[in-house]
């Protein structure tokens, strides 16, 4: 069973569907694209998922999004001896609480930016007014769908961000406490780690594009596109990430006795000296990074996840394609703000998503009806392409984008341009 309904989960279900071990896939709740791979199962509460897993004798559950993990789905499954991949509720605090994560990094000397924590609006305003160096980064403590992060270039912008988070409660209780961090200069990238409690390995690096607008302007989104590998993560940087970040992170997880079997997503900033520092932890695969990383992995993904569950990850040898992958998110106009749904999607029949296809289209916010697919979310599709190099992957992806249509389609036209050296 794959829990979730976005592009990441469609990619997971697609990858697992090619396993020699799989008999049947359930998608909870799934989306239009996932309905063609497995049976979609609606659910209202975590108890529904527990009951379903028991009744159907699900051999393994893989959780895509962060919300069920932060709500304790792993605790509920493990209490009933149901196999599941992910951290328990305490382990999920690495993502569900920015304050927990920053204090964890401080305790275990993991390189990150300097920070202050506030739960009182007036105290936070006073601190911001006394700061003489900007920009600053202001983050909601809790989960905000990747959107609760503000870069403030002066005190007025900083106070506006505080107003939205702590007074207007734009993201609900997630913004009642905030972290104010020093701004880190450099290039951003992602490394995801698989961990079974004893052994780990690093998945291929990737780079996401968070801002809605071309040239990295506008509000943060869940991600507008990605590519893998990220050129900034060369061998020198990779070794530093393992030594300075991954090793103390996993040691800290063991010392804090966090029940953790699954993925640790590490958002990293690499400076001019090639020194990496942590921007954030997530406790699951990234979205849209998964859609460009998983197609590059040659291993049977179900076998890999069973090894995580059984504590046998050390016996797995990761095999990665040398061909880069680049993905472009097709969104509904207005995203990440108000957007329309229910628009007919044309052109998907050209992309059957066979295992070795050079272009793959993963559904994020879609609904399947009798006469085809319709938009049902802000991020609608991920168009991903593989190539001999990043330039070829980009060209193939954007060529495929022109063959897909729906009313008021929006996408960034500069995904991967910086890595390739284009303007």
């Amino acid at each position: 069973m794959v829990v979730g309904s976005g592009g990441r989960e469609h990619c997971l279900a697609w990858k697992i569907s090619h396993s020699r071990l799989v008999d049947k896939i359930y998608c909870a709740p799934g989306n239009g694209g996932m309905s063609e791979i497995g049976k979609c199962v609606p659910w209202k509460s975590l108890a529904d998922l527990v009951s379903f897993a028991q009744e159907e004798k699900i051999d393994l559950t893989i959780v895509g999004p962060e919300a069920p993990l932060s709500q304790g789905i792993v605790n509920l499954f493990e209490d009933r001896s149901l196999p599941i991949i992910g951290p328990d509720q305490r382990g999920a605090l690495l993502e569900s609480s920015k304050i927990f994560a920053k204090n964890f990094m401080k305790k275990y000397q993991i390189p990150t930016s300097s920070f202050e924590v506030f739960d009182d609006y007036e105290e936070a305003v006073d601190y911001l007014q006394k700061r003489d160096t900007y920009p600053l980064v202001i983050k909601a403590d809790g989960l905000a769908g990747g959107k609760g992060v503000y870069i403030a270039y002066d005190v007025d912008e900083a106070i506006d961000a505080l107003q939205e988070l702590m007074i207007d409660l734009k993201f609900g209780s997630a913004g009642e406490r905030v972290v104010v961090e020093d701004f880190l200069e450099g290039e951003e990238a992602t490394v995801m780690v698989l961990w079974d409690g004893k052994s780990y390995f690093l998945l291929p690096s990737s780079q996401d594009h968070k801002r809605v607008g071309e040239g990295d302007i506008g509000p943060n989104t869940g991600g507008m596109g990605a590519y893998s590998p990220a050129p900034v993560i060369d061998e020198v940087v990779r070794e530093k990430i393992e030594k300075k970040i991954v090793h103390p992170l996993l040691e800290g997880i063991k010392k804090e006795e966090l029940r953790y079997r699954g993925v640790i997503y590490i958002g990293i900033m690499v400076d001019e000296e090639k020194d990496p520092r942590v921007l954030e932890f997530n406790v699951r695969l990234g979205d849209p990074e998964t859609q460009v990383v998983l197609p590059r992995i040659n291993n049977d993904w179900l076998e890999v996840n069973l090894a995580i569950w059984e504590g046998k990850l050390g016996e797995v040898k990761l095999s990665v394609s040398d061909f880069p992958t680049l993905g472009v998110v097709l969104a509904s106009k207005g995203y990440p703000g108000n957007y329309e749904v229910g628009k007919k999607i044309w052109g998907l029949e050209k992309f059957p998503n066979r295992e070795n296809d050079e272009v793959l289209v993963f559904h994020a916010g879609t609904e399947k009806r009798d006469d085809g697919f319709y938009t049902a979310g802000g991020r609608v599709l991920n168009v991903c392409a593989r190539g001999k190099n990043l330039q070829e992957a980009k060209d193939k992806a954007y060529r495929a984008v022109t063959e897909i249509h729906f009313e008021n389609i929006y996408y960034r036209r500069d995904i991967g341009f910086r890595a390739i050296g284009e303007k």
Side-chain angles (χ1 to χ4, degrees), residues 1-3 12 16 58-65 68-69 73-75 77-78 82-88 193-196 259-264 283-285 301-311 313:
M1 178 162 64
V2 176
V3 177
L12 275 167
I16 291 165
I58 302 294
D59 294 298
L60 188 67
T61 295
I62 298 176
V63 184
L69 294 168
I73 187 173
V74 169
N75 304 65
F77 271 59
E78 289 189 348
L82 295 166
I84 187 168
I85 301 299
D88 70 353
V193 181
L194 297 187
W195 167 244
D196 69 354
R259 280 160 57 197
Y260 207 120
R261 278 179 288 200
V263 184
I264 308 164
V283 297
R284 36 69 192 183
L285 289 165
W301 193 246
L302 185 53
E303 284 186 353
V304 171
N305 281 272
L306 286 170
I308 293 173
W309 171 251
E310 294 165 358
L313 194 59

Side-chain angles (χ1 to χ4, degrees), residues 335-391:
Y335 174 79
N338 295 324
Y339 54 83
E340 294 180 333
V341 297
K343 306 296 185 183
K344 179 98 183 258
I345 305 170
W346 306 91
L348 292 176
E349 69 282 352
K350 299 170 187 173
F351 306 101
N353 278 15
R354 293 177 296 252
E355 185 173 9
N356 295 313
D357 283 352
E358 292 189 342
V359 176
L360 301 163
V361 178
F362 298 115
H363 293 226
T366 68
E367 175 190 357
K368 188 178 183 183
R369 301 181 189 173
D370 291 341
D371 63 338
F373 293 97
Y374 287 78
T375 66
R379 291 189 294 177
V380 179
L381 298 165
N382 303 100
V383 180
C384 304
R386 299 183 259 213
K388 294 175 184 175
N389 52 49
L390 205 51
Q391 177 76 53

Side-chain angles (χ1 to χ4, degrees), residues 24-46:
K24 190 166 188 178
I25 297 173
Y26 292 97
C27 306
N31 61 32
M34 294 170 79
S35 70
E36 299 198 313
I37 296 173
K39 182 178 180 181
C40 290
V41 182
W43 59 280
K44 292 182 179 178
S45 69
L46 298 185

Side-chain angles (χ1 to χ4, degrees), residues 28 63 89 125 141 173 191 194 241 260 289 308 326 329 338-339 342 371 380:
V63 184
Q89 197 166 19
V125 169
D141 174 49
S173 60
V191 170
L194 297 187
I241 289 169
Y260 207 120
E289 294 94 337
I308 293 173
L326 182 141
V329 170
N338 295 324
Y339 54 83
D371 63 338
V380 179

